[in-house]
Amino acid sequence: GTLVLLQALVGVGLSGATCPFELLAELSPSAARGRTLNSVAWAWASGTLLTVLLAWVVLSVTAEDDEADAGGGKGGHPLPVPWRRLVLVTSMPVVLAACVLPCVTESPSWLLAHGRRSKAKRVLRHMDSVNRGGALHHLKKLLA
């Protein structure tokens, strides 16, 4: 029961992971947007391959541990333990993303579309200061 609940929470977390991608697309300068978004796509693909590799390592190491324990008369771990370890390890990026989420800014375009011009200006000023004035020059015309 707990494993299913936690996997459902991970699924909800992953479904929201595309929001920062769209925000990154909105805030990237047009000259670098393709390269930036392509890098993110490659990171997702690499993460998927890493998950497969991690499953192979975690499950094979656990199987060796189980065989050694069974041979020693202690009895091996229950069958679901290797999968629980894998789920724990592969859930860490979602947990880390949840910790960083409060630091993600709101979309200036969304704020403008919903009549929150002063908040959009504050967000852009903050982002401009963090990026030393160069990254958001293309958005300043929105607030002119």
Side-chain angles (χ1 to χ4, degrees), residues 30-71:
S30 56
R33 189 172 299 133
R35 182 176 56 249
T36 302
L37 298 180
N38 194 20
S39 298
V40 172
W42 274 102
W44 273 98
S46 301
T48 301
L49 292 174
L50 181 62
T51 301
V52 172
L53 179 64
L54 203 54
W56 178 66
V57 169
V58 169
L59 295 177
S60 65
V61 167
T62 304
E64 292 170 7
D65 290 346
D66 289 344
E67 289 173 13
D69 287 346

PDB file of all heavy atoms in Angstrom, residues 30-71:
ATOM      1  N   SER A  30      15.992  34.355 -27.458  1.00  0.00           N
ATOM      2  CA  SER A  30      15.647  33.602 -28.662  1.00  0.00           C
ATOM      3  C   SER A  30      16.869  32.998 -29.343  1.00  0.00           C
ATOM      4  O   SER A  30      16.789  31.914 -29.909  1.00  0.00           O
ATOM      5  CB  SER A  30      14.859  34.466 -29.636  1.00  0.00           C
ATOM      6  OG  SER A  30      15.584  35.635 -29.951  1.00  0.00           O
ATOM      7  N   ALA A  31      18.005  33.657 -29.264  1.00  0.00           N
ATOM      8  CA  ALA A  31      19.217  33.131 -29.906  1.00  0.00           C
ATOM      9  C   ALA A  31      19.714  31.860 -29.229  1.00  0.00           C
ATOM     10  O   ALA A  31      20.336  31.013 -29.873  1.00  0.00           O
ATOM     11  CB  ALA A  31      20.320  34.189 -29.871  1.00  0.00           C
ATOM     12  N   ALA A  32      19.437  31.689 -27.950  1.00  0.00           N
ATOM     13  CA  ALA A  32      19.930  30.520 -27.211  1.00  0.00           C
ATOM     14  C   ALA A  32      18.820  29.543 -26.850  1.00  0.00           C
ATOM     15  O   ALA A  32      19.080  28.502 -26.254  1.00  0.00           O
ATOM     16  CB  ALA A  32      20.629  30.981 -25.927  1.00  0.00           C
ATOM     17  N   ARG A  33      17.583  29.845 -27.191  1.00  0.00           N
ATOM     18  CA  ARG A  33      16.443  29.033 -26.760  1.00  0.00           C
ATOM     19  C   ARG A  33      16.537  27.589 -27.254  1.00  0.00           C
ATOM     20  O   ARG A  33      16.352  26.647 -26.484  1.00  0.00           O
ATOM     21  CB  ARG A  33      15.146  29.657 -27.230  1.00  0.00           C
ATOM     22  CG  ARG A  33      13.917  28.993 -26.649  1.00  0.00           C
ATOM     23  CD  ARG A  33      12.648  29.761 -26.976  1.00  0.00           C
ATOM     24  NE  ARG A  33      12.748  31.091 -26.391  1.00  0.00           N
ATOM     25  CZ  ARG A  33      12.451  32.215 -27.046  1.00  0.00           C
ATOM     26  NH1 ARG A  33      12.039  32.173 -28.292  1.00  0.00           N
ATOM     27  NH2 ARG A  33      12.555  33.377 -26.462  1.00  0.00           N
ATOM     28  N   GLY A  34      16.845  27.400 -28.522  1.00  0.00           N
ATOM     29  CA  GLY A  34      16.926  26.039 -29.070  1.00  0.00           C
ATOM     30  C   GLY A  34      17.998  25.214 -28.384  1.00  0.00           C
ATOM     31  O   GLY A  34      17.766  24.070 -27.996  1.00  0.00           O
ATOM     32  N   ARG A  35      19.162  25.804 -28.216  1.00  0.00           N
ATOM     33  CA  ARG A  35      20.275  25.105 -27.561  1.00  0.00           C
ATOM     34  C   ARG A  35      19.930  24.768 -26.108  1.00  0.00           C
ATOM     35  O   ARG A  35      20.174  23.667 -25.626  1.00  0.00           O
ATOM     36  CB  ARG A  35      21.531  25.971 -27.637  1.00  0.00           C
ATOM     37  CG  ARG A  35      22.762  25.339 -27.047  1.00  0.00           C
ATOM     38  CD  ARG A  35      24.028  26.183 -27.217  1.00  0.00           C
ATOM     39  NE  ARG A  35      23.881  27.532 -26.674  1.00  0.00           N
ATOM     40  CZ  ARG A  35      23.840  28.648 -27.403  1.00  0.00           C
ATOM     41  NH1 ARG A  35      23.934  28.582 -28.707  1.00  0.00           N
ATOM     42  NH2 ARG A  35      23.712  29.824 -26.837  1.00  0.00           N
ATOM     43  N   THR A  36      19.315  25.719 -25.420  1.00  0.00           N
ATOM     44  CA  THR A  36      18.955  25.515 -24.015  1.00  0.00           C
ATOM     45  C   THR A  36      17.931  24.403 -23.865  1.00  0.00           C
ATOM     46  O   THR A  36      18.089  23.495 -23.041  1.00  0.00           O
ATOM     47  CB  THR A  36      18.409  26.828 -23.421  1.00  0.00           C
ATOM     48  OG1 THR A  36      19.392  27.842 -23.560  1.00  0.00           O
ATOM     49  CG2 THR A  36      18.049  26.662 -21.972  1.00  0.00           C
ATOM     50  N   LEU A  37      16.876  24.460 -24.646  1.00  0.00           N
ATOM     51  CA  LEU A  37      15.824  23.448 -24.539  1.00  0.00           C
ATOM     52  C   LEU A  37      16.301  22.079 -25.019  1.00  0.00           C
ATOM     53  O   LEU A  37      15.887  21.052 -24.483  1.00  0.00           O
ATOM     54  CB  LEU A  37      14.582  23.902 -25.301  1.00  0.00           C
ATOM     55  CG  LEU A  37      13.937  25.189 -24.765  1.00  0.00           C
ATOM     56  CD1 LEU A  37      12.726  25.551 -25.596  1.00  0.00           C
ATOM     57  CD2 LEU A  37      13.590  25.061 -23.304  1.00  0.00           C
ATOM     58  N   ASN A  38      17.176  22.070 -26.016  1.00  0.00           N
ATOM     59  CA  ASN A  38      17.754  20.810 -26.476  1.00  0.00           C
ATOM     60  C   ASN A  38      18.595  20.174 -25.366  1.00  0.00           C
ATOM     61  O   ASN A  38      18.576  18.953 -25.177  1.00  0.00           O
ATOM     62  CB  ASN A  38      18.585  21.028 -27.730  1.00  0.00           C
ATOM     63  CG  ASN A  38      18.927  19.744 -28.435  1.00  0.00           C
ATOM     64  OD1 ASN A  38      18.283  18.724 -28.234  1.00  0.00           O
ATOM     65  ND2 ASN A  38      19.947  19.786 -29.265  1.00  0.00           N
ATOM     66  N   SER A  39      19.316  20.999 -24.623  1.00  0.00           N
ATOM     67  CA  SER A  39      20.114  20.484 -23.498  1.00  0.00           C
ATOM     68  C   SER A  39      19.223  19.845 -22.446  1.00  0.00           C
ATOM     69  O   SER A  39      19.556  18.791 -21.888  1.00  0.00           O
ATOM     70  CB  SER A  39      20.925  21.611 -22.857  1.00  0.00           C
ATOM     71  OG  SER A  39      21.826  22.158 -23.775  1.00  0.00           O
ATOM     72  N   VAL A  40      18.090  20.475 -22.179  1.00  0.00           N
ATOM     73  CA  VAL A  40      17.153  19.914 -21.202  1.00  0.00           C
ATOM     74  C   VAL A  40      16.589  18.587 -21.711  1.00  0.00           C
ATOM     75  O   VAL A  40      16.468  17.615 -20.953  1.00  0.00           O
ATOM     76  CB  VAL A  40      16.025  20.916 -20.890  1.00  0.00           C
ATOM     77  CG1 VAL A  40      14.950  20.281 -20.032  1.00  0.00           C
ATOM     78  CG2 VAL A  40      16.594  22.151 -20.213  1.00  0.00           C
ATOM     79  N   ALA A  41      16.262  18.518 -22.987  1.00  0.00           N
ATOM     80  CA  ALA A  41      15.752  17.262 -23.556  1.00  0.00           C
ATOM     81  C   ALA A  41      16.794  16.153 -23.452  1.00  0.00           C
ATOM     82  O   ALA A  41      16.471  15.007 -23.130  1.00  0.00           O
ATOM     83  CB  ALA A  41      15.335  17.480 -25.015  1.00  0.00           C
ATOM     84  N   TRP A  42      18.049  16.489 -23.710  1.00  0.00           N
ATOM     85  CA  TRP A  42      19.120  15.497 -23.572  1.00  0.00           C
ATOM     86  C   TRP A  42      19.278  15.063 -22.113  1.00  0.00           C
ATOM     87  O   TRP A  42      19.580  13.898 -21.834  1.00  0.00           O
ATOM     88  CB  TRP A  42      20.438  16.047 -24.112  1.00  0.00           C
ATOM     89  CG  TRP A  42      20.579  15.843 -25.583  1.00  0.00           C
ATOM     90  CD1 TRP A  42      20.400  16.764 -26.561  1.00  0.00           C
ATOM     91  CD2 TRP A  42      20.896  14.617 -26.238  1.00  0.00           C
ATOM     92  NE1 TRP A  42      20.587  16.192 -27.788  1.00  0.00           N
ATOM     93  CE2 TRP A  42      20.893  14.865 -27.627  1.00  0.00           C
ATOM     94  CE3 TRP A  42      21.169  13.327 -25.801  1.00  0.00           C
ATOM     95  CZ2 TRP A  42      21.168  13.882 -28.567  1.00  0.00           C
ATOM     96  CZ3 TRP A  42      21.436  12.346 -26.747  1.00  0.00           C
ATOM     97  CH2 TRP A  42      21.435  12.627 -28.099  1.00  0.00           C
ATOM     98  N   ALA A  43      19.088  15.986 -21.198  1.00  0.00           N
ATOM     99  CA  ALA A  43      19.179  15.629 -19.774  1.00  0.00           C
ATOM    100  C   ALA A  43      18.083  14.632 -19.398  1.00  0.00           C
ATOM    101  O   ALA A  43      18.333  13.667 -18.658  1.00  0.00           O
ATOM    102  CB  ALA A  43      19.088  16.880 -18.908  1.00  0.00           C
ATOM    103  N   TRP A  44      16.869  14.835 -19.913  1.00  0.00           N
ATOM    104  CA  TRP A  44      15.782  13.884 -19.653  1.00  0.00           C
ATOM    105  C   TRP A  44      16.123  12.505 -20.231  1.00  0.00           C
ATOM    106  O   TRP A  44      15.941  11.478 -19.573  1.00  0.00           O
ATOM    107  CB  TRP A  44      14.469  14.385 -20.266  1.00  0.00           C
ATOM    108  CG  TRP A  44      13.709  15.295 -19.369  1.00  0.00           C
ATOM    109  CD1 TRP A  44      13.705  16.655 -19.404  1.00  0.00           C
ATOM    110  CD2 TRP A  44      12.841  14.926 -18.298  1.00  0.00           C
ATOM    111  NE1 TRP A  44      12.894  17.147 -18.423  1.00  0.00           N
ATOM    112  CE2 TRP A  44      12.344  16.115 -17.732  1.00  0.00           C
ATOM    113  CE3 TRP A  44      12.430  13.713 -17.769  1.00  0.00           C
ATOM    114  CZ2 TRP A  44      11.465  16.122 -16.662  1.00  0.00           C
ATOM    115  CZ3 TRP A  44      11.548  13.723 -16.695  1.00  0.00           C
ATOM    116  CH2 TRP A  44      11.078  14.912 -16.154  1.00  0.00           C
ATOM    117  N   ALA A  45      16.616  12.479 -21.464  1.00  0.00           N
ATOM    118  CA  ALA A  45      16.967  11.197 -22.096  1.00  0.00           C
ATOM    119  C   ALA A  45      18.105  10.519 -21.341  1.00  0.00           C
ATOM    120  O   ALA A  45      18.065   9.307 -21.102  1.00  0.00           O
ATOM    121  CB  ALA A  45      17.362  11.431 -23.558  1.00  0.00           C
ATOM    122  N   SER A  46      19.094  11.290 -20.936  1.00  0.00           N
ATOM    123  CA  SER A  46      20.215  10.722 -20.169  1.00  0.00           C
ATOM    124  C   SER A  46      19.734  10.190 -18.831  1.00  0.00           C
ATOM    125  O   SER A  46      20.189   9.134 -18.364  1.00  0.00           O
ATOM    126  CB  SER A  46      21.292  11.778 -19.943  1.00  0.00           C
ATOM    127  OG  SER A  46      21.779  12.260 -21.161  1.00  0.00           O
ATOM    128  N   GLY A  47      18.825  10.913 -18.203  1.00  0.00           N
ATOM    129  CA  GLY A  47      18.262  10.449 -16.935  1.00  0.00           C
ATOM    130  C   GLY A  47      17.505   9.138 -17.079  1.00  0.00           C
ATOM    131  O   GLY A  47      17.564   8.271 -16.199  1.00  0.00           O
ATOM    132  N   THR A  48      16.818   8.989 -18.189  1.00  0.00           N
ATOM    133  CA  THR A  48      16.105   7.735 -18.440  1.00  0.00           C
ATOM    134  C   THR A  48      17.091   6.581 -18.588  1.00  0.00           C
ATOM    135  O   THR A  48      16.898   5.501 -18.008  1.00  0.00           O
ATOM    136  CB  THR A  48      15.239   7.866 -19.709  1.00  0.00           C
ATOM    137  OG1 THR A  48      14.324   8.936 -19.526  1.00  0.00           O
ATOM    138  CG2 THR A  48      14.482   6.583 -20.001  1.00  0.00           C
ATOM    139  N   LEU A  49      18.165   6.792 -19.338  1.00  0.00           N
ATOM    140  CA  LEU A  49      19.188   5.752 -19.485  1.00  0.00           C
ATOM    141  C   LEU A  49      19.881   5.467 -18.155  1.00  0.00           C
ATOM    142  O   LEU A  49      20.173   4.306 -17.836  1.00  0.00           O
ATOM    143  CB  LEU A  49      20.209   6.161 -20.541  1.00  0.00           C
ATOM    144  CG  LEU A  49      19.686   6.219 -21.968  1.00  0.00           C
ATOM    145  CD1 LEU A  49      20.751   6.777 -22.897  1.00  0.00           C
ATOM    146  CD2 LEU A  49      19.233   4.846 -22.430  1.00  0.00           C
ATOM    147  N   LEU A  50      20.120   6.500 -17.378  1.00  0.00           N
ATOM    148  CA  LEU A  50      20.738   6.322 -16.068  1.00  0.00           C
ATOM    149  C   LEU A  50      19.834   5.502 -15.146  1.00  0.00           C
ATOM    150  O   LEU A  50      20.322   4.682 -14.358  1.00  0.00           O
ATOM    151  CB  LEU A  50      21.048   7.684 -15.440  1.00  0.00           C
ATOM    152  CG  LEU A  50      21.724   7.650 -14.074  1.00  0.00           C
ATOM    153  CD1 LEU A  50      23.081   6.967 -14.163  1.00  0.00           C
ATOM    154  CD2 LEU A  50      21.877   9.060 -13.532  1.00  0.00           C
ATOM    155  N   THR A  51      18.536   5.706 -15.250  1.00  0.00           N
ATOM    156  CA  THR A  51      17.596   4.931 -14.439  1.00  0.00           C
ATOM    157  C   THR A  51      17.693   3.444 -14.762  1.00  0.00           C
ATOM    158  O   THR A  51      17.686   2.598 -13.854  1.00  0.00           O
ATOM    159  CB  THR A  51      16.159   5.427 -14.660  1.00  0.00           C
ATOM    160  OG1 THR A  51      16.104   6.807 -14.290  1.00  0.00           O
ATOM    161  CG2 THR A  51      15.160   4.651 -13.837  1.00  0.00           C
ATOM    162  N   VAL A  52      17.808   3.120 -16.031  1.00  0.00           N
ATOM    163  CA  VAL A  52      17.949   1.713 -16.426  1.00  0.00           C
ATOM    164  C   VAL A  52      19.252   1.134 -15.877  1.00  0.00           C
ATOM    165  O   VAL A  52      19.278   0.028 -15.316  1.00  0.00           O
ATOM    166  CB  VAL A  52      17.888   1.568 -17.960  1.00  0.00           C
ATOM    167  CG1 VAL A  52      18.219   0.149 -18.390  1.00  0.00           C
ATOM    168  CG2 VAL A  52      16.518   1.976 -18.469  1.00  0.00           C
ATOM    169  N   LEU A  53      20.333   1.874 -16.010  1.00  0.00           N
ATOM    170  CA  LEU A  53      21.625   1.438 -15.476  1.00  0.00           C
ATOM    171  C   LEU A  53      21.557   1.281 -13.963  1.00  0.00           C
ATOM    172  O   LEU A  53      22.053   0.292 -13.403  1.00  0.00           O
ATOM    173  CB  LEU A  53      22.717   2.440 -15.864  1.00  0.00           C
ATOM    174  CG  LEU A  53      24.122   2.141 -15.353  1.00  0.00           C
ATOM    175  CD1 LEU A  53      24.643   0.839 -15.957  1.00  0.00           C
ATOM    176  CD2 LEU A  53      25.057   3.299 -15.681  1.00  0.00           C
ATOM    177  N   LEU A  54      20.939   2.229 -13.298  1.00  0.00           N
ATOM    178  CA  LEU A  54      20.805   2.170 -11.848  1.00  0.00           C
ATOM    179  C   LEU A  54      19.972   0.956 -11.425  1.00  0.00           C
ATOM    180  O   LEU A  54      20.307   0.280 -10.441  1.00  0.00           O
ATOM    181  CB  LEU A  54      20.137   3.462 -11.365  1.00  0.00           C
ATOM    182  CG  LEU A  54      20.345   3.890  -9.948  1.00  0.00           C
ATOM    183  CD1 LEU A  54      21.821   3.980  -9.611  1.00  0.00           C
ATOM    184  CD2 LEU A  54      19.676   5.234  -9.713  1.00  0.00           C
ATOM    185  N   ALA A  55      18.914   0.667 -12.162  1.00  0.00           N
ATOM    186  CA  ALA A  55      18.102  -0.515 -11.858  1.00  0.00           C
ATOM    187  C   ALA A  55      18.938  -1.776 -11.976  1.00  0.00           C
ATOM    188  O   ALA A  55      18.875  -2.667 -11.126  1.00  0.00           O
ATOM    189  CB  ALA A  55      16.900  -0.582 -12.805  1.00  0.00           C
ATOM    190  N   TRP A  56      19.739  -1.840 -13.014  1.00  0.00           N
ATOM    191  CA  TRP A  56      20.592  -3.014 -13.205  1.00  0.00           C
ATOM    192  C   TRP A  56      21.569  -3.174 -12.040  1.00  0.00           C
ATOM    193  O   TRP A  56      21.735  -4.250 -11.492  1.00  0.00           O
ATOM    194  CB  TRP A  56      21.324  -2.895 -14.539  1.00  0.00           C
ATOM    195  CG  TRP A  56      22.258  -4.019 -14.824  1.00  0.00           C
ATOM    196  CD1 TRP A  56      21.930  -5.334 -15.039  1.00  0.00           C
ATOM    197  CD2 TRP A  56      23.670  -3.935 -14.911  1.00  0.00           C
ATOM    198  NE1 TRP A  56      23.060  -6.064 -15.264  1.00  0.00           N
ATOM    199  CE2 TRP A  56      24.153  -5.233 -15.198  1.00  0.00           C
ATOM    200  CE3 TRP A  56      24.582  -2.898 -14.805  1.00  0.00           C
ATOM    201  CZ2 TRP A  56      25.494  -5.508 -15.355  1.00  0.00           C
ATOM    202  CZ3 TRP A  56      25.927  -3.177 -14.968  1.00  0.00           C
ATOM    203  CH2 TRP A  56      26.367  -4.471 -15.235  1.00  0.00           C
ATOM    204  N   VAL A  57      22.208  -2.074 -11.639  1.00  0.00           N
ATOM    205  CA  VAL A  57      23.189  -2.123 -10.549  1.00  0.00           C
ATOM    206  C   VAL A  57      22.506  -2.455  -9.225  1.00  0.00           C
ATOM    207  O   VAL A  57      22.928  -3.373  -8.517  1.00  0.00           O
ATOM    208  CB  VAL A  57      23.965  -0.787 -10.452  1.00  0.00           C
ATOM    209  CG1 VAL A  57      24.790  -0.716  -9.188  1.00  0.00           C
ATOM    210  CG2 VAL A  57      24.846  -0.609 -11.670  1.00  0.00           C
ATOM    211  N   VAL A  58      21.457  -1.719  -8.875  1.00  0.00           N
ATOM    212  CA  VAL A  58      20.792  -1.912  -7.580  1.00  0.00           C
ATOM    213  C   VAL A  58      20.205  -3.310  -7.475  1.00  0.00           C
ATOM    214  O   VAL A  58      20.373  -3.986  -6.460  1.00  0.00           O
ATOM    215  CB  VAL A  58      19.708  -0.835  -7.355  1.00  0.00           C
ATOM    216  CG1 VAL A  58      18.832  -1.182  -6.160  1.00  0.00           C
ATOM    217  CG2 VAL A  58      20.344   0.522  -7.164  1.00  0.00           C
ATOM    218  N   LEU A  59      19.550  -3.763  -8.521  1.00  0.00           N
ATOM    219  CA  LEU A  59      18.900  -5.071  -8.454  1.00  0.00           C
ATOM    220  C   LEU A  59      19.914  -6.207  -8.494  1.00  0.00           C
ATOM    221  O   LEU A  59      19.738  -7.221  -7.819  1.00  0.00           O
ATOM    222  CB  LEU A  59      17.868  -5.223  -9.568  1.00  0.00           C
ATOM    223  CG  LEU A  59      16.687  -4.255  -9.461  1.00  0.00           C
ATOM    224  CD1 LEU A  59      15.759  -4.434 -10.647  1.00  0.00           C
ATOM    225  CD2 LEU A  59      15.946  -4.419  -8.155  1.00  0.00           C
ATOM    226  N   SER A  60      21.008  -6.071  -9.243  1.00  0.00           N
ATOM    227  CA  SER A  60      21.992  -7.152  -9.292  1.00  0.00           C
ATOM    228  C   SER A  60      22.795  -7.213  -7.992  1.00  0.00           C
ATOM    229  O   SER A  60      23.086  -8.291  -7.492  1.00  0.00           O
ATOM    230  CB  SER A  60      22.918  -7.007 -10.500  1.00  0.00           C
ATOM    231  OG  SER A  60      23.696  -5.839 -10.393  1.00  0.00           O
ATOM    232  N   VAL A  61      23.149  -6.070  -7.407  1.00  0.00           N
ATOM    233  CA  VAL A  61      23.867  -6.070  -6.132  1.00  0.00           C
ATOM    234  C   VAL A  61      22.978  -6.649  -5.043  1.00  0.00           C
ATOM    235  O   VAL A  61      23.417  -7.452  -4.226  1.00  0.00           O
ATOM    236  CB  VAL A  61      24.332  -4.636  -5.762  1.00  0.00           C
ATOM    237  CG1 VAL A  61      24.780  -4.555  -4.319  1.00  0.00           C
ATOM    238  CG2 VAL A  61      25.438  -4.193  -6.696  1.00  0.00           C
ATOM    239  N   THR A  62      21.712  -6.287  -5.036  1.00  0.00           N
ATOM    240  CA  THR A  62      20.787  -6.801  -4.041  1.00  0.00           C
ATOM    241  C   THR A  62      20.597  -8.301  -4.205  1.00  0.00           C
ATOM    242  O   THR A  62      20.535  -9.035  -3.221  1.00  0.00           O
ATOM    243  CB  THR A  62      19.431  -6.073  -4.147  1.00  0.00           C
ATOM    244  OG1 THR A  62      19.679  -4.680  -4.020  1.00  0.00           O
ATOM    245  CG2 THR A  62      18.487  -6.511  -3.063  1.00  0.00           C
ATOM    246  N   ALA A  63      20.540  -8.789  -5.448  1.00  0.00           N
ATOM    247  CA  ALA A  63      20.389 -10.227  -5.679  1.00  0.00           C
ATOM    248  C   ALA A  63      21.599 -10.983  -5.136  1.00  0.00           C
ATOM    249  O   ALA A  63      21.457 -12.040  -4.530  1.00  0.00           O
ATOM    250  CB  ALA A  63      20.204 -10.500  -7.166  1.00  0.00           C
ATOM    251  N   GLU A  64      22.804 -10.423  -5.323  1.00  0.00           N
ATOM    252  CA  GLU A  64      24.011 -11.058  -4.778  1.00  0.00           C
ATOM    253  C   GLU A  64      23.963 -11.080  -3.261  1.00  0.00           C
ATOM    254  O   GLU A  64      24.313 -12.071  -2.634  1.00  0.00           O
ATOM    255  CB  GLU A  64      25.262 -10.328  -5.264  1.00  0.00           C
ATOM    256  CG  GLU A  64      25.519 -10.490  -6.744  1.00  0.00           C
ATOM    257  CD  GLU A  64      26.627  -9.566  -7.251  1.00  0.00           C
ATOM    258  OE1 GLU A  64      27.282  -8.902  -6.418  1.00  0.00           O
ATOM    259  OE2 GLU A  64      26.817  -9.520  -8.471  1.00  0.00           O
ATOM    260  N   ASP A  65      23.512  -9.984  -2.633  1.00  0.00           N
ATOM    261  CA  ASP A  65      23.380  -9.931  -1.180  1.00  0.00           C
ATOM    262  C   ASP A  65      22.382 -10.972  -0.689  1.00  0.00           C
ATOM    263  O   ASP A  65      22.599 -11.632   0.322  1.00  0.00           O
ATOM    264  CB  ASP A  65      22.917  -8.545  -0.713  1.00  0.00           C
ATOM    265  CG  ASP A  65      23.976  -7.472  -0.888  1.00  0.00           C
ATOM    266  OD1 ASP A  65      25.160  -7.839  -1.116  1.00  0.00           O
ATOM    267  OD2 ASP A  65      23.622  -6.284  -0.826  1.00  0.00           O
ATOM    268  N   ASP A  66      21.264 -11.122  -1.411  1.00  0.00           N
ATOM    269  CA  ASP A  66      20.238 -12.087  -1.015  1.00  0.00           C
ATOM    270  C   ASP A  66      20.768 -13.511  -1.081  1.00  0.00           C
ATOM    271  O   ASP A  66      20.499 -14.318  -0.199  1.00  0.00           O
ATOM    272  CB  ASP A  66      18.999 -11.962  -1.911  1.00  0.00           C
ATOM    273  CG  ASP A  66      18.222 -10.684  -1.624  1.00  0.00           C
ATOM    274  OD1 ASP A  66      18.458 -10.068  -0.561  1.00  0.00           O
ATOM    275  OD2 ASP A  66      17.390 -10.315  -2.464  1.00  0.00           O
ATOM    276  N   GLU A  67      21.545 -13.818  -2.148  1.00  0.00           N
ATOM    277  CA  GLU A  67      22.104 -15.163  -2.269  1.00  0.00           C
ATOM    278  C   GLU A  67      23.086 -15.443  -1.140  1.00  0.00           C
ATOM    279  O   GLU A  67      23.110 -16.524  -0.571  1.00  0.00           O
ATOM    280  CB  GLU A  67      22.790 -15.325  -3.629  1.00  0.00           C
ATOM    281  CG  GLU A  67      21.818 -15.378  -4.789  1.00  0.00           C
ATOM    282  CD  GLU A  67      22.537 -15.357  -6.129  1.00  0.00           C
ATOM    283  OE1 GLU A  67      23.771 -15.554  -6.158  1.00  0.00           O
ATOM    284  OE2 GLU A  67      21.862 -15.140  -7.142  1.00  0.00           O
ATOM    285  N   ALA A  68      23.899 -14.450  -0.788  1.00  0.00           N
ATOM    286  CA  ALA A  68      24.859 -14.624   0.301  1.00  0.00           C
ATOM    287  C   ALA A  68      24.136 -14.813   1.628  1.00  0.00           C
ATOM    288  O   ALA A  68      24.501 -15.669   2.435  1.00  0.00           O
ATOM    289  CB  ALA A  68      25.801 -13.428   0.380  1.00  0.00           C
ATOM    290  N   ASP A  69      23.073 -14.032   1.863  1.00  0.00           N
ATOM    291  CA  ASP A  69      22.314 -14.169   3.101  1.00  0.00           C
ATOM    292  C   ASP A  69      21.623 -15.526   3.172  1.00  0.00           C
ATOM    293  O   ASP A  69      21.601 -16.168   4.221  1.00  0.00           O
ATOM    294  CB  ASP A  69      21.243 -13.076   3.210  1.00  0.00           C
ATOM    295  CG  ASP A  69      21.845 -11.713   3.525  1.00  0.00           C
ATOM    296  OD1 ASP A  69      23.037 -11.683   3.923  1.00  0.00           O
ATOM    297  OD2 ASP A  69      21.136 -10.707   3.362  1.00  0.00           O
ATOM    298  N   ALA A  70      21.074 -15.986   2.064  1.00  0.00           N
ATOM    299  CA  ALA A  70      20.374 -17.266   2.047  1.00  0.00           C
ATOM    300  C   ALA A  70      21.353 -18.404   2.304  1.00  0.00           C
ATOM    301  O   ALA A  70      21.022 -19.371   2.986  1.00  0.00           O
ATOM    302  CB  ALA A  70      19.659 -17.461   0.709  1.00  0.00           C
ATOM    303  N   GLY A  71      22.566 -18.273   1.801  1.00  0.00           N
ATOM    304  CA  GLY A  71      23.568 -19.311   2.015  1.00  0.00           C
ATOM    305  C   GLY A  71      24.042 -19.366   3.450  1.00  0.00           C
ATOM    306  O   GLY A  71      24.469 -20.402   3.946  1.00  0.00           O
TER     307      GLY A  71
END
